[in-house]
Amino acid sequence: DELSRDQLRRWLRDQDIDNTAAVADVIPLRGKVATLNLIDDRTRARWATRLADVGCDYLILDCLRPVLDALALDENRDAGKFLTAFDALLADAGIGDALLVQHMGHANERARGDSRLLDWPDVSWRLVRETEEPDSDRYFSAYGRDVNVAEGKLTYDPATRRLSYSRASRDDARCNAARVAVITLLVDAAAKGAKPNGSAIERDLPGGHSQKAIRQALAQLVRAGLVEVEPGAHNSRLHSIAHPCKECRLPVVSGRERHESCPTDAEELTFP
């Protein structure tokens, strides 16, 4: 109910769906959302007949807010009225499963409006952005009856308009970014003959990383053997690169003196 008919058809065509026979019907409602007045018994009966006639067994409504507006229902108090009618439609049409889309509020982690939207579904799917920027990374998770999908990052393919899920949460992304920053800071500190403690790393690390991300990053680097810790004054713990490359000073996982990809001075002269 938000896309025009032409845009909807173009977006679906881009996805190159193979099993088009499984798509019983696609009904653009932009500009005529009020026709989905499921609270009215006769209107709901007509929709139930139409959906049953095409053999619909999984119904997707995208999205809820324009329907509530068209029916003069308050998003914060009246969503339950429509959800009850939606359940009746599914029962009347013999539809076993459905997906209902509702937007989140800005900077929120839950569906906007009526708390009924939280306890109505069997399973809640969440698609969130890392920040409020339009091009921010997206993350997906799902939880409910017999469902528990951990938060993972979504990669968007603009050619096919498809999303791919990989199990890497926002916390993982923040920790990964902090690990890179910590390694860089320790390399710079080593050049000055310094070995910073945890407090100094948290204080001096650029990039606005959270204390939680920095501490997780440090712990992971130590466990991986990339950073070593030694006791310092006043019970402090001093950090340094465990096996620094002789050329770039970044950690060498193999424990050798240098990375295979790092040229020596002689190689730089031979291959300018």
Side-chain angles (χ1 to χ4, degrees), residues 23-81:
V23 183
D25 203 358
V26 180
I27 308 169
L29 289 174
R30 181 171 167 177
K32 42 188 177 182
V33 185
T35 61
L36 199 64
N37 183 8
L38 303 183
I39 297 174
D40 178 75
D41 292 342
R42 288 184 296 179
T43 302
R44 186 175 68 250
R46 288 197 295 270
W47 276 106
T49 299
R50 175 173 180 172
L51 293 169
D53 287 346
V54 298
C56 177
D57 57 9
Y58 190 102
L59 179 64
I60 302 171
L61 173 58
D62 185 3
C63 57
L64 177 62
R65 175 58 188 267
V67 180
L68 298 180
D69 289 343
L71 303 183
L73 296 175
D74 189 304
E75 184 182 47
N76 295 310
R77 295 190 299 269
D78 299 331
K81 295 179 181 178

Short mmCIF file of all heavy atoms in Angstrom, two decimals, residues 23-81:
data_model
loop_
_atom_site.label_atom_id
_atom_site.label_comp_id
_atom_site.label_asym_id
_atom_site.label_seq_id
_atom_site.Cartn_x
_atom_site.Cartn_y
_atom_site.Cartn_z
N VAL A 23 3.11 -17.27 -6.57
CA VAL A 23 2.58 -15.95 -6.21
C VAL A 23 1.13 -15.90 -6.67
O VAL A 23 0.84 -15.73 -7.86
CB VAL A 23 3.40 -14.82 -6.86
CG1 VAL A 23 2.87 -13.47 -6.40
CG2 VAL A 23 4.87 -14.97 -6.50
N ALA A 24 0.20 -16.06 -5.74
CA ALA A 24 -1.22 -16.14 -6.11
C ALA A 24 -1.75 -14.82 -6.63
O ALA A 24 -2.50 -14.77 -7.60
CB ALA A 24 -2.03 -16.59 -4.89
N ASP A 25 -1.35 -13.72 -5.99
CA ASP A 25 -1.87 -12.41 -6.40
C ASP A 25 -1.04 -11.31 -5.75
O ASP A 25 -0.54 -11.48 -4.64
CB ASP A 25 -3.34 -12.26 -5.96
CG ASP A 25 -4.10 -11.24 -6.80
OD1 ASP A 25 -3.48 -10.62 -7.68
OD2 ASP A 25 -5.31 -11.07 -6.57
N VAL A 26 -0.87 -10.20 -6.46
CA VAL A 26 -0.22 -9.01 -5.91
C VAL A 26 -1.18 -7.86 -6.13
O VAL A 26 -1.55 -7.55 -7.26
CB VAL A 26 1.13 -8.72 -6.60
CG1 VAL A 26 1.76 -7.46 -6.00
CG2 VAL A 26 2.08 -9.90 -6.45
N ILE A 27 -1.60 -7.22 -5.04
CA ILE A 27 -2.67 -6.22 -5.12
C ILE A 27 -2.14 -4.88 -4.64
O ILE A 27 -2.01 -4.65 -3.44
CB ILE A 27 -3.87 -6.64 -4.25
CG1 ILE A 27 -4.30 -8.07 -4.59
CG2 ILE A 27 -5.03 -5.67 -4.43
CD1 ILE A 27 -5.29 -8.66 -3.61
N PRO A 28 -1.80 -3.96 -5.55
CA PRO A 28 -1.37 -2.62 -5.14
C PRO A 28 -2.56 -1.83 -4.57
O PRO A 28 -3.60 -1.71 -5.22
CB PRO A 28 -0.86 -1.99 -6.43
CG PRO A 28 -0.72 -3.12 -7.41
CD PRO A 28 -1.73 -4.13 -7.00
N LEU A 29 -2.40 -1.30 -3.37
CA LEU A 29 -3.49 -0.58 -2.70
C LEU A 29 -3.21 0.91 -2.53
O LEU A 29 -3.99 1.60 -1.88
CB LEU A 29 -3.75 -1.20 -1.32
CG LEU A 29 -4.39 -2.59 -1.31
CD1 LEU A 29 -4.45 -3.13 0.11
CD2 LEU A 29 -5.78 -2.54 -1.91
N ARG A 30 -2.12 1.38 -3.11
CA ARG A 30 -1.80 2.80 -2.96
C ARG A 30 -2.93 3.64 -3.57
O ARG A 30 -3.33 3.44 -4.72
CB ARG A 30 -0.49 3.12 -3.66
CG ARG A 30 -0.06 4.57 -3.54
CD ARG A 30 1.35 4.73 -4.07
NE ARG A 30 1.73 6.10 -4.27
CZ ARG A 30 2.94 6.50 -4.67
NH1 ARG A 30 3.88 5.60 -4.90
NH2 ARG A 30 3.22 7.78 -4.83
N GLY A 31 -3.47 4.56 -2.77
CA GLY A 31 -4.57 5.40 -3.23
C GLY A 31 -5.94 4.81 -2.99
O GLY A 31 -6.95 5.48 -3.18
N LYS A 32 -6.01 3.55 -2.57
CA LYS A 32 -7.30 2.91 -2.28
C LYS A 32 -7.19 1.96 -1.09
O LYS A 32 -7.77 0.87 -1.07
CB LYS A 32 -7.80 2.16 -3.52
CG LYS A 32 -6.75 1.36 -4.27
CD LYS A 32 -7.29 0.82 -5.58
CE LYS A 32 -6.20 0.09 -6.36
NZ LYS A 32 -6.66 -0.42 -7.66
N VAL A 33 -6.46 2.44 -0.09
CA VAL A 33 -6.23 1.62 1.10
C VAL A 33 -7.52 1.39 1.88
O VAL A 33 -7.69 0.36 2.54
CB VAL A 33 -5.16 2.28 2.01
CG1 VAL A 33 -4.81 1.40 3.18
CG2 VAL A 33 -3.90 2.58 1.21
N ALA A 34 -8.45 2.33 1.77
CA ALA A 34 -9.70 2.20 2.53
C ALA A 34 -10.51 0.99 2.09
O ALA A 34 -11.41 0.55 2.83
CB ALA A 34 -10.53 3.47 2.38
N THR A 35 -10.21 0.43 0.91
CA THR A 35 -10.93 -0.77 0.48
C THR A 35 -10.58 -1.97 1.34
O THR A 35 -11.24 -3.00 1.26
CB THR A 35 -10.61 -1.10 -0.99
OG1 THR A 35 -9.22 -1.36 -1.13
CG2 THR A 35 -11.00 0.05 -1.90
N LEU A 36 -9.54 -1.86 2.18
CA LEU A 36 -9.15 -2.95 3.07
C LEU A 36 -9.78 -2.75 4.46
O LEU A 36 -9.13 -2.97 5.48
CB LEU A 36 -7.63 -3.04 3.17
CG LEU A 36 -7.06 -4.38 3.69
CD1 LEU A 36 -7.38 -5.51 2.74
CD2 LEU A 36 -5.56 -4.27 3.89
N ASN A 37 -11.01 -2.33 4.47
CA ASN A 37 -11.72 -2.11 5.74
C ASN A 37 -12.21 -3.45 6.28
O ASN A 37 -13.40 -3.80 6.15
CB ASN A 37 -12.88 -1.14 5.54
CG ASN A 37 -13.59 -0.82 6.85
OD1 ASN A 37 -13.11 -1.19 7.93
ND2 ASN A 37 -14.72 -0.13 6.76
N LEU A 38 -11.33 -4.19 6.89
CA LEU A 38 -11.65 -5.53 7.37
C LEU A 38 -12.56 -5.50 8.59
O LEU A 38 -13.13 -6.54 8.96
CB LEU A 38 -10.36 -6.30 7.71
CG LEU A 38 -9.35 -6.44 6.57
CD1 LEU A 38 -8.16 -7.28 7.03
CD2 LEU A 38 -9.99 -7.05 5.33
N ILE A 39 -12.68 -4.34 9.22
CA ILE A 39 -13.56 -4.22 10.38
C ILE A 39 -15.02 -4.36 9.95
O ILE A 39 -15.87 -4.83 10.71
CB ILE A 39 -13.30 -2.89 11.11
CG1 ILE A 39 -11.86 -2.88 11.64
CG2 ILE A 39 -14.27 -2.69 12.26
CD1 ILE A 39 -11.44 -1.57 12.24
N ASP A 40 -15.32 -3.96 8.71
CA ASP A 40 -16.66 -4.12 8.16
C ASP A 40 -16.85 -5.58 7.71
O ASP A 40 -16.09 -6.09 6.89
CB ASP A 40 -16.85 -3.17 6.97
CG ASP A 40 -18.21 -3.31 6.32
OD1 ASP A 40 -19.20 -2.82 6.90
OD2 ASP A 40 -18.28 -3.93 5.24
N ASP A 41 -17.87 -6.22 8.23
CA ASP A 41 -18.08 -7.66 7.98
C ASP A 41 -18.24 -7.97 6.50
O ASP A 41 -17.67 -8.96 6.00
CB ASP A 41 -19.30 -8.16 8.75
CG ASP A 41 -19.07 -8.17 10.26
OD1 ASP A 41 -17.90 -8.11 10.67
OD2 ASP A 41 -20.06 -8.22 11.01
N ARG A 42 -19.00 -7.17 5.76
CA ARG A 42 -19.23 -7.46 4.35
C ARG A 42 -17.96 -7.27 3.52
O ARG A 42 -17.68 -8.06 2.61
CB ARG A 42 -20.37 -6.57 3.81
CG ARG A 42 -21.74 -6.97 4.33
CD ARG A 42 -22.82 -6.13 3.71
NE ARG A 42 -22.70 -4.72 4.08
CZ ARG A 42 -23.52 -3.75 3.65
NH1 ARG A 42 -24.49 -4.04 2.80
NH2 ARG A 42 -23.35 -2.52 4.05
N THR A 43 -17.22 -6.23 3.83
CA THR A 43 -15.96 -6.00 3.11
C THR A 43 -14.98 -7.13 3.39
O THR A 43 -14.31 -7.64 2.48
CB THR A 43 -15.33 -4.66 3.54
OG1 THR A 43 -16.25 -3.60 3.28
CG2 THR A 43 -14.04 -4.40 2.78
N ARG A 44 -14.91 -7.54 4.65
CA ARG A 44 -14.00 -8.64 5.00
C ARG A 44 -14.41 -9.93 4.30
O ARG A 44 -13.56 -10.70 3.84
CB ARG A 44 -13.98 -8.85 6.51
CG ARG A 44 -12.94 -9.88 6.95
CD ARG A 44 -12.85 -9.99 8.47
NE ARG A 44 -14.04 -10.57 9.08
CZ ARG A 44 -14.90 -9.89 9.81
NH1 ARG A 44 -14.70 -8.60 10.07
NH2 ARG A 44 -15.96 -10.47 10.32
N ALA A 45 -15.70 -10.16 4.17
CA ALA A 45 -16.18 -11.37 3.49
C ALA A 45 -15.79 -11.36 2.01
O ALA A 45 -15.42 -12.40 1.45
CB ALA A 45 -17.70 -11.48 3.64
N ARG A 46 -15.84 -10.18 1.37
CA ARG A 46 -15.45 -10.10 -0.05
C ARG A 46 -13.96 -10.39 -0.21
O ARG A 46 -13.55 -11.09 -1.15
CB ARG A 46 -15.80 -8.71 -0.60
CG ARG A 46 -17.29 -8.49 -0.81
CD ARG A 46 -17.56 -7.31 -1.73
NE ARG A 46 -17.12 -6.05 -1.15
CZ ARG A 46 -17.91 -5.26 -0.39
NH1 ARG A 46 -19.16 -5.63 -0.14
NH2 ARG A 46 -17.45 -4.15 0.11
N TRP A 47 -13.14 -9.85 0.69
CA TRP A 47 -11.71 -10.12 0.63
C TRP A 47 -11.42 -11.60 0.88
O TRP A 47 -10.56 -12.21 0.22
CB TRP A 47 -10.96 -9.25 1.65
CG TRP A 47 -10.63 -7.88 1.16
CD1 TRP A 47 -11.22 -6.71 1.53
CD2 TRP A 47 -9.63 -7.54 0.20
NE1 TRP A 47 -10.65 -5.65 0.87
CE2 TRP A 47 -9.67 -6.13 0.04
CE3 TRP A 47 -8.72 -8.27 -0.55
CZ2 TRP A 47 -8.83 -5.44 -0.83
CZ3 TRP A 47 -7.87 -7.59 -1.42
CH2 TRP A 47 -7.93 -6.19 -1.55
N ALA A 48 -12.13 -12.18 1.83
CA ALA A 48 -11.92 -13.59 2.14
C ALA A 48 -12.25 -14.47 0.93
O ALA A 48 -11.53 -15.43 0.62
CB ALA A 48 -12.77 -14.00 3.34
N THR A 49 -13.32 -14.13 0.23
CA THR A 49 -13.71 -14.88 -0.96
C THR A 49 -12.65 -14.76 -2.05
O THR A 49 -12.26 -15.75 -2.68
CB THR A 49 -15.06 -14.39 -1.49
OG1 THR A 49 -16.06 -14.60 -0.48
CG2 THR A 49 -15.46 -15.14 -2.76
N ARG A 50 -12.16 -13.52 -2.26
CA ARG A 50 -11.15 -13.31 -3.30
C ARG A 50 -9.87 -14.09 -3.00
O ARG A 50 -9.31 -14.75 -3.89
CB ARG A 50 -10.83 -11.82 -3.42
CG ARG A 50 -9.69 -11.52 -4.40
CD ARG A 50 -9.51 -10.04 -4.62
NE ARG A 50 -8.43 -9.77 -5.57
CZ ARG A 50 -8.14 -8.57 -6.06
NH1 ARG A 50 -8.86 -7.52 -5.70
NH2 ARG A 50 -7.13 -8.41 -6.91
N LEU A 51 -9.43 -14.05 -1.76
CA LEU A 51 -8.19 -14.73 -1.39
C LEU A 51 -8.35 -16.25 -1.44
O LEU A 51 -7.43 -16.97 -1.84
CB LEU A 51 -7.74 -14.29 0.00
CG LEU A 51 -7.31 -12.81 0.11
CD1 LEU A 51 -7.15 -12.40 1.57
CD2 LEU A 51 -6.03 -12.56 -0.66
N ALA A 52 -9.50 -16.73 -1.04
CA ALA A 52 -9.74 -18.17 -1.11
C ALA A 52 -9.80 -18.64 -2.56
O ALA A 52 -9.30 -19.73 -2.89
CB ALA A 52 -11.04 -18.51 -0.38
N ASP A 53 -10.39 -17.83 -3.43
CA ASP A 53 -10.53 -18.21 -4.84
C ASP A 53 -9.17 -18.37 -5.53
O ASP A 53 -9.03 -19.20 -6.44
CB ASP A 53 -11.38 -17.18 -5.59
CG ASP A 53 -12.86 -17.27 -5.23
OD1 ASP A 53 -13.25 -18.29 -4.62
OD2 ASP A 53 -13.60 -16.32 -5.55
N VAL A 54 -8.17 -17.58 -5.13
CA VAL A 54 -6.85 -17.69 -5.77
C VAL A 54 -5.95 -18.69 -5.04
O VAL A 54 -4.79 -18.88 -5.40
CB VAL A 54 -6.14 -16.31 -5.85
CG1 VAL A 54 -6.93 -15.35 -6.72
CG2 VAL A 54 -5.89 -15.73 -4.46
N GLY A 55 -6.48 -19.31 -4.00
CA GLY A 55 -5.72 -20.33 -3.28
C GLY A 55 -4.63 -19.77 -2.38
O GLY A 55 -3.61 -20.43 -2.17
N CYS A 56 -4.83 -18.58 -1.86
CA CYS A 56 -3.81 -17.96 -0.99
C CYS A 56 -3.67 -18.76 0.30
O CYS A 56 -4.65 -19.00 1.01
CB CYS A 56 -4.21 -16.52 -0.67
SG CYS A 56 -3.08 -15.69 0.46
N ASP A 57 -2.43 -19.17 0.60
CA ASP A 57 -2.18 -19.86 1.87
C ASP A 57 -1.14 -19.12 2.72
O ASP A 57 -0.81 -19.57 3.82
CB ASP A 57 -1.76 -21.31 1.64
CG ASP A 57 -0.53 -21.44 0.76
OD1 ASP A 57 0.09 -20.39 0.46
OD2 ASP A 57 -0.19 -22.56 0.36
N TYR A 58 -0.61 -18.02 2.20
CA TYR A 58 0.31 -17.17 2.96
C TYR A 58 0.07 -15.74 2.50
O TYR A 58 0.26 -15.41 1.34
CB TYR A 58 1.77 -17.57 2.71
CG TYR A 58 2.76 -16.91 3.65
CD1 TYR A 58 3.30 -17.62 4.71
CD2 TYR A 58 3.16 -15.59 3.46
CE1 TYR A 58 4.21 -17.02 5.57
CE2 TYR A 58 4.06 -14.99 4.32
CZ TYR A 58 4.57 -15.71 5.38
OH TYR A 58 5.46 -15.11 6.23
N LEU A 59 -0.36 -14.89 3.43
CA LEU A 59 -0.75 -13.52 3.09
C LEU A 59 0.24 -12.52 3.66
O LEU A 59 0.58 -12.59 4.85
CB LEU A 59 -2.16 -13.23 3.63
CG LEU A 59 -2.71 -11.82 3.39
CD1 LEU A 59 -2.88 -11.54 1.90
CD2 LEU A 59 -4.02 -11.63 4.12
N ILE A 60 0.71 -11.60 2.82
CA ILE A 60 1.63 -10.54 3.26
C ILE A 60 0.93 -9.20 3.11
O ILE A 60 0.44 -8.87 2.02
CB ILE A 60 2.92 -10.54 2.42
CG1 ILE A 60 3.63 -11.90 2.52
CG2 ILE A 60 3.85 -9.41 2.86
CD1 ILE A 60 4.80 -12.04 1.57
N LEU A 61 0.88 -8.43 4.19
CA LEU A 61 0.34 -7.07 4.14
C LEU A 61 1.47 -6.10 4.47
O LEU A 61 2.00 -6.11 5.57
CB LEU A 61 -0.81 -6.89 5.13
CG LEU A 61 -1.34 -5.45 5.27
CD1 LEU A 61 -1.82 -4.91 3.92
CD2 LEU A 61 -2.45 -5.37 6.31
N ASP A 62 1.83 -5.27 3.49
CA ASP A 62 2.93 -4.33 3.64
C ASP A 62 2.41 -2.94 3.21
O ASP A 62 2.26 -2.68 2.03
CB ASP A 62 4.09 -4.78 2.75
CG ASP A 62 5.33 -3.92 2.91
OD1 ASP A 62 5.33 -3.01 3.76
OD2 ASP A 62 6.30 -4.16 2.18
N CYS A 63 2.18 -2.03 4.15
CA CYS A 63 2.40 -2.18 5.58
C CYS A 63 1.16 -1.69 6.32
O CYS A 63 0.19 -1.25 5.71
CB CYS A 63 3.64 -1.43 6.01
SG CYS A 63 3.55 0.33 5.60
N LEU A 64 1.20 -1.72 7.66
CA LEU A 64 0.01 -1.50 8.47
C LEU A 64 -0.41 -0.04 8.59
O LEU A 64 -1.61 0.28 8.50
CB LEU A 64 0.25 -2.08 9.87
CG LEU A 64 -0.88 -1.87 10.89
CD1 LEU A 64 -2.16 -2.55 10.42
CD2 LEU A 64 -0.47 -2.40 12.26
N ARG A 65 0.52 0.87 8.78
CA ARG A 65 0.18 2.25 9.14
C ARG A 65 -0.79 2.92 8.15
O ARG A 65 -1.78 3.55 8.59
CB ARG A 65 1.46 3.09 9.27
CG ARG A 65 1.23 4.59 9.53
CD ARG A 65 0.41 4.84 10.81
NE ARG A 65 0.04 6.24 10.93
CZ ARG A 65 0.76 7.14 11.61
NH1 ARG A 65 1.88 6.79 12.20
NH2 ARG A 65 0.35 8.39 11.68
N PRO A 66 -0.59 2.85 6.82
CA PRO A 66 -1.55 3.50 5.91
C PRO A 66 -2.97 2.96 6.05
O PRO A 66 -3.94 3.70 5.86
CB PRO A 66 -0.97 3.21 4.52
CG PRO A 66 0.49 3.01 4.76
CD PRO A 66 0.57 2.31 6.07
N VAL A 67 -3.10 1.68 6.39
CA VAL A 67 -4.43 1.10 6.58
C VAL A 67 -5.10 1.72 7.80
O VAL A 67 -6.28 2.10 7.76
CB VAL A 67 -4.35 -0.43 6.73
CG1 VAL A 67 -5.73 -1.02 6.92
CG2 VAL A 67 -3.68 -1.06 5.52
N LEU A 68 -4.35 1.82 8.89
CA LEU A 68 -4.89 2.44 10.10
C LEU A 68 -5.32 3.87 9.83
O LEU A 68 -6.39 4.32 10.29
CB LEU A 68 -3.86 2.38 11.23
CG LEU A 68 -3.40 1.00 11.69
CD1 LEU A 68 -2.38 1.14 12.81
CD2 LEU A 68 -4.59 0.16 12.14
N ASP A 69 -4.50 4.62 9.09
CA ASP A 69 -4.85 6.00 8.76
C ASP A 69 -6.14 6.07 7.94
O ASP A 69 -7.01 6.90 8.20
CB ASP A 69 -3.71 6.67 7.99
CG ASP A 69 -2.49 6.93 8.86
OD1 ASP A 69 -2.63 6.91 10.10
OD2 ASP A 69 -1.40 7.14 8.29
N ALA A 70 -6.25 5.19 6.94
CA ALA A 70 -7.41 5.20 6.06
C ALA A 70 -8.69 4.87 6.81
O ALA A 70 -9.78 5.35 6.47
CB ALA A 70 -7.20 4.23 4.91
N LEU A 71 -8.57 4.04 7.86
CA LEU A 71 -9.75 3.63 8.63
C LEU A 71 -9.95 4.48 9.88
O LEU A 71 -10.80 4.16 10.71
CB LEU A 71 -9.61 2.16 9.03
CG LEU A 71 -9.42 1.15 7.88
CD1 LEU A 71 -9.37 -0.26 8.41
CD2 LEU A 71 -10.52 1.31 6.83
N ALA A 72 -9.17 5.57 9.99
CA ALA A 72 -9.27 6.50 11.13
C ALA A 72 -9.04 5.78 12.46
O ALA A 72 -9.71 6.07 13.46
CB ALA A 72 -10.62 7.21 11.12
N LEU A 73 -8.11 4.85 12.47
CA LEU A 73 -7.75 4.13 13.69
C LEU A 73 -6.45 4.71 14.24
O LEU A 73 -5.50 4.95 13.49
CB LEU A 73 -7.56 2.64 13.41
CG LEU A 73 -8.81 1.88 12.95
CD1 LEU A 73 -8.44 0.44 12.60
CD2 LEU A 73 -9.89 1.91 14.02
N ASP A 74 -6.40 4.95 15.54
CA ASP A 74 -5.22 5.51 16.18
C ASP A 74 -4.13 4.43 16.29
O ASP A 74 -4.37 3.36 16.87
CB ASP A 74 -5.59 6.03 17.58
CG ASP A 74 -4.47 6.82 18.21
OD1 ASP A 74 -3.36 6.28 18.35
OD2 ASP A 74 -4.70 7.99 18.59
N GLU A 75 -2.94 4.72 15.77
CA GLU A 75 -1.85 3.76 15.79
C GLU A 75 -1.46 3.36 17.20
O GLU A 75 -1.02 2.24 17.45
CB GLU A 75 -0.64 4.35 15.06
CG GLU A 75 0.53 3.41 14.93
CD GLU A 75 1.73 4.05 14.24
OE1 GLU A 75 2.09 5.19 14.62
OE2 GLU A 75 2.29 3.43 13.32
N ASN A 76 -1.64 4.28 18.15
CA ASN A 76 -1.20 4.04 19.52
C ASN A 76 -2.24 3.32 20.37
O ASN A 76 -1.91 2.78 21.43
CB ASN A 76 -0.84 5.36 20.20
CG ASN A 76 0.36 6.03 19.54
OD1 ASN A 76 1.38 5.39 19.32
ND2 ASN A 76 0.23 7.29 19.20
N ARG A 77 -3.51 3.30 19.92
CA ARG A 77 -4.56 2.70 20.75
C ARG A 77 -5.44 1.69 20.02
O ARG A 77 -6.01 0.80 20.65
CB ARG A 77 -5.47 3.80 21.33
CG ARG A 77 -4.78 4.73 22.30
CD ARG A 77 -5.79 5.61 23.02
NE ARG A 77 -6.52 6.45 22.07
CZ ARG A 77 -6.14 7.67 21.72
NH1 ARG A 77 -5.02 8.18 22.21
NH2 ARG A 77 -6.85 8.39 20.87
N ASP A 78 -5.57 1.82 18.70
CA ASP A 78 -6.59 1.06 17.98
C ASP A 78 -6.06 -0.05 17.09
O ASP A 78 -6.83 -0.69 16.36
CB ASP A 78 -7.45 2.01 17.12
CG ASP A 78 -8.18 3.04 17.95
OD1 ASP A 78 -8.48 2.75 19.11
OD2 ASP A 78 -8.44 4.15 17.41
N ALA A 79 -4.75 -0.30 17.11
CA ALA A 79 -4.20 -1.32 16.21
C ALA A 79 -4.82 -2.68 16.47
O ALA A 79 -5.04 -3.48 15.55
CB ALA A 79 -2.68 -1.40 16.35
N GLY A 80 -5.15 -2.96 17.73
CA GLY A 80 -5.74 -4.24 18.08
C GLY A 80 -7.06 -4.50 17.37
O GLY A 80 -7.40 -5.65 17.08
N LYS A 81 -7.82 -3.43 17.09
CA LYS A 81 -9.10 -3.61 16.40
C LYS A 81 -8.87 -4.17 14.99
O LYS A 81 -9.59 -5.06 14.54
CB LYS A 81 -9.83 -2.27 16.30
CG LYS A 81 -10.26 -1.69 17.64
CD LYS A 81 -10.95 -0.34 17.46
CE LYS A 81 -11.36 0.25 18.80
NZ LYS A 81 -12.00 1.59 18.63
#
